[in-house]
Amino acid sequence: MTFVIGAACVDVMDRACVEECPVDCIYTGGRMAYIHPTECVDCGACEPVCPVEAIYIDDDIPEAQRVFVAENARFFDEPLPGRDAALGSPGSAAKVGELGVDTPYVAEYEP
């Protein structure tokens, strides 16, 4: 079980969740933020501070947004557009900084 960020984050990226995360596992792409599935310690600190209620426990995300569970993982597991290697598990979103790129699905997502 881990937390994931869903569709409501696309083009909003308030970043309150990033500031609240005690383990710095919320990374920012171009259009949305992504929670690293293995770095997340399931503390839930991010969920109540999200102003658009975009954060869910992966098993509780609405069926219409299930694709975002895969997209949160894909952001780390596959090379992002313009990159040769997958991001993997860098261990700190602050160390990586804003990436400014999303998975192809999110880049083309129409809310």
Side-chain angles (χ1 to χ4, degrees), residues 2 43 50 52 57 60 64 67 71 91:
T2 190
C43 71
C50 180
V52 294
I57 294 173
D60 293 341
V67 66
E71 293 307 307

Side-chain angles (χ1 to χ4, degrees), residues 14-100:
D14 172 76
R15 293 181 178 81
C17 60
V18 173
E19 296 169 15
E20 195 67 29
C21 180
V23 294
D24 196 26
C25 72
I26 304 175
Y27 295 73
T28 53
R31 295 184 69 195
M32 70 174 276
Y34 302 81
I35 297 175
H36 196 293
T38 59
E39 293 177 6
C40 177
V41 296
D42 305 325
C43 71
C46 57
E47 185 181 24
V49 299
C50 180
V52 294
E53 299 179 358
I55 301 173
Y56 302 89
I57 294 173
D58 59 358
D59 290 340
D60 293 341
I61 195 165
E63 188 61 38
Q65 295 186 52
R66 294 285 315 154
V67 66
F68 282 90
V69 175
E71 293 307 307
N72 273 258
R74 185 170 287 120
F75 186 79
F76 303 99
D77 295 342
E78 297 178 11
L80 295 167
R83 297 179 175 264
D84 294 330
L87 186 59
S89 184
S92 169
K95 178 174 72 174
V96 173
E98 291 190 29
L99 294 161

